[in-house]
């Protein structure tokens, strides 16, 4: 069977402008370097060389800024970005490896660790929104885009599964395992994220790949 033209719209236009992205990058750095107390509108405006009025216009209140920071961080995990691409066994493999590597690098980065530790520290507080924001604007956005990728693989005849959610969470577990929990507890991260990503994707494709994918597995690594 020939390759199937897969038309999916999983790539969202950039939610923020380049200038706003630069501001969010500075806000994330403030959080990592100084903790929650450093994340003030005055501090962010000063670090990003912009006005507080611009911050309020772009992001609203502090919760809006946190939401934008999380969404920006989640956008660093890439999935399937080219609408109308001819998806093949090789390109599916490459897209899933990119997702796996990005996911590992983002989760193991100082920013994500700081955000998650902050959310854990606030979890006992009444009215704390950070944990919910991390789920809704971070994890679930990543999940949605990655599930669209594996759905595209199924429609192209390259993956087979009865439950997309189960297949995706198998992939996520193979990629991340307990690494994120260990790092939150202070262990160092992986020295070779590329190797871990390749190993996880190979295992995933052996579990869910169709005969066409399995036939090309040696060439795919």
């Amino acid at each position: 069977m020939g390759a199937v033209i897969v038309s999916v719209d999983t790539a969202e236009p950039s939610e923020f402008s380049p200038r706003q992205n630069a501001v969010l990058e500075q806000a994330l750095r403030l959080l990592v370097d100084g903790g929650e107390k450093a994340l003030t509108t005055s501090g962010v405006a000063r670090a990003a060389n912009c006005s507080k009025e611009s911050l309020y216009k772009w992001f609203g209140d502090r919760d809006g800024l946190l939401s934008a920071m999380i969404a920006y961080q989640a956008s660093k995990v890439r999935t399937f970005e080219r609408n109308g691409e001819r998806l093949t066994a090789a390109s599916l493999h490459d897209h899933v490896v990119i997702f796996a590597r990005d996911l590992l690098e983002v989760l193991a980065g100082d920013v994500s660790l700081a955000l998650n530790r902050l959310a854990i520290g606030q979890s006992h507080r009444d009215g704390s929104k950070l944990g919910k924001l991390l789920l809704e604007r971070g994890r679930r956005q990543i999940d949605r885009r990655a599930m669209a990728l594996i759905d595209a693989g199924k429609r192209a005849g390259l993956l087979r599964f009865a439950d997309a959610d189960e297949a995706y969470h198998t992939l996520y577990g193979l990629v991340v395992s307990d690494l994120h929990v260990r790092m939150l507890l202070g262990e160092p991260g992986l020295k070779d994220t590329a190797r871990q990503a390749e190993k996880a994707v190979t295992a995933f494709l052996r579990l869910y790949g169709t005969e066409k994918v399995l036939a090309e597995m040696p060439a795919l690594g």
Side-chain angles (χ1 to χ4, degrees):
M1 183 176 70
V4 175
I5 296 290
V6 180
S7 180
V8 293
D9 186 18
T10 61
E12 299 173 353
S14 179
E15 188 171 350
F16 309 108
S17 70
R19 177 62 177 133
Q20 290 167 343
N21 286 341
V23 170
L24 293 171
E25 196 68 53
Q26 289 298 324
L28 289 167
R29 182 48 50 194
L30 279 176
L31 179 65
V32 171
D33 291 343
E36 182 182 6
K37 292 181 180 179
L39 194 64
T40 64
T41 52
S42 296
V44 173
R46 190 163 47 248
N49 194 27
C50 70
S51 67
K52 289 194 287 185
E53 290 75 18
S54 292
L55 289 179
Y56 287 119
K57 178 181 177 181
W58 291 336
F59 309 118
D61 59 11
R62 190 170 182 275
D63 285 342
L65 176 61
L66 276 170
S67 177
M69 291 163 60
I70 293 165
Y72 171 68
Q73 186 70 0
S75 73
K76 297 176 182 178
V77 181
R78 297 165 292 169
T79 51
F80 191 74
E81 298 185 356
R82 294 189 288 276
N83 194 32
E85 176 180 348
R86 185 180 293 274
L87 195 62
T88 65
S91 63
L92 173 66
H93 165 271
D94 291 347
H95 281 302
V96 183
V97 167
I98 287 170
F99 163 74
R101 288 184 66 173
D102 285 356
L103 181 64
L104 285 169
E105 289 171 8
V106 167
L107 289 180
D110 290 343
V111 168
S112 289
L113 291 173
L115 282 168
N116 279 275
R117 285 171 178 148
L118 181 57
I120 292 168
Q122 292 183 356
S123 61
H124 66 285
R125 299 184 192 174
D126 292 338
S128 176
K129 297 180 180 179
L130 183 56
K132 184 177 180 181
L133 287 172
L134 279 171
L135 286 173
E136 293 182 351
R137 297 285 280 158
R139 173 67 187 268
R140 286 173 187 160
Q141 295 305 312
I142 292 171
D143 292 352
R144 181 178 61 79
R145 296 197 306 270
M147 286 182 67
L149 169 59
I150 65 172
D151 278 336
K154 182 178 182 179
R155 291 197 301 274
L158 301 170
L159 297 175
R160 54 187 170 193
F161 48 80
D163 186 327
D165 186 70
E166 179 181 293
Y168 167 66
H169 283 92
T170 298
L171 171 63
Y172 191 96
L174 288 167
V175 173
V176 178
S177 185
D178 63 347
L179 172 68
H180 200 218
V181 172
R182 297 202 318 270
M183 291 194 68
L184 286 170
L185 294 174
E187 282 194 15
L190 292 171
K191 294 182 179 179
D192 189 350
T193 55
R195 183 174 181 274
Q196 170 64 15
E198 186 67 51
K199 179 180 176 182
V201 172
T202 296
F204 174 75
L205 293 178
R206 291 194 188 282
L207 285 170
Y208 292 101
T210 61
E211 287 77 5
K212 181 174 179 58
V213 171
L214 295 174
E216 296 190 27
M217 284 297 288
L220 297 178

